[in-house]
Amino acid sequence: MSDKVRIATASLAGCFGCHMSLLDIDERLIELVAHVEFDRTPLTDIKQIGHCDVGLIEGGVCNAENVEVLKAFRQHCNLLVAVGACAINGGIPAMRNQYSLTECLEEAYLHGSGIDQPQIPNDPELPLLLDQVHPIHDVVWVDYFLPGCPPSADTIFTFLDELLSGKPIQFAYRQIRYD
Ligand code: SF4
């Protein structure tokens, strides 16, 4: 049986920028991979999450499928981490919260510029949109919050390195300033 730390990741209402930042860890990924194995993540293309030590969640919660994925992560992960502004406070996707869902759909599919065949999609295969975009802690308990848009590769590496080695999580000032 492997003694590696098992990690899963998911992008809910996000842009994959936080996942890209994880990959920007570059050659230090080799260091991490010596101690880590990946479960469900866009990197492995595994669709169902198994038992994991750590779950990294990018993005806010905007639809019913996001709620389902997030609850599965909470159920299967010992520690859940909100990675980036969208997971922490809804971020860019939550800008739609100042409008009703109907207004958003009508602007996107009926009245916006460049629309050729106005029609609001209603295929039953599409996940139902929530009225508002939520930060993930509105839906499940979150153990750690990693701010930034995205958090830098350096910040993500420091976090994982300290978490995996059981040290207190501490960041240099340059890793948590955003101006
Ligand atoms: Fe993209 Fe920024 Fe949201 Fe991460 S926090 S998913 S980089 S918009």
Side-chain angles (χ1 to χ4, degrees), residues 11 13-19 58-59 83-87 91-93 148-151:
S11 179
C15 73
F16 278 93
C18 291
H19 275 78
E58 164 193 304
V83 182
C86 297
I92 303 267
C149 179

Side-chain angles (χ1 to χ4, degrees), residues 58-76:
E58 164 193 304
V61 185
C62 82
N63 62 36
E65 184 189 39
N66 292 163
V67 174
E68 205 179 297
V69 169
L70 189 52
K71 286 185 173 172
F73 266 65
R74 181 66 280 178
Q75 194 183 348
H76 289 89

Side-chain angles (χ1 to χ4, degrees), residues 23-94:
L23 294 179
D24 280 344
I25 289 174
D26 293 334
E27 67 274 9
R28 288 176 297 179
L29 274 174
I30 296 166
E31 223 176 286
L32 270 184
V33 165
H35 305 286
V36 160
E37 60 189 6
F38 286 103
D39 190 88
R40 176 190 163 146
T41 126
L43 310 173
T44 57
D45 209 24
I46 296 173
K47 307 293 187 204
Q48 299 296 328
I49 186 169
H51 177 75
C52 288
D53 301 290
V54 182
L56 304 174
I57 301 286
E58 164 193 304
V61 185
C62 82
N63 62 36
E65 184 189 39
N66 292 163
V67 174
E68 205 179 297
V69 169
L70 189 52
K71 286 185 173 172
F73 266 65
R74 181 66 280 178
Q75 194 183 348
H76 289 89
C77 298
N78 293 341
L79 295 173
L80 201 61
V81 186
V83 182
C86 297
I88 293 173
N89 60 27
I92 303 267

Side-chain angles (χ1 to χ4, degrees), residues 100-113 115 118-121:
S100 71
L101 183 56
T102 304
E103 285 174 306
C104 293
L105 289 170
E106 287 182 351
E107 178 63 19
Y109 293 106
L110 301 183
H111 309 311
S113 62
I115 292 173
Q119 183 184 7
I120 296 179

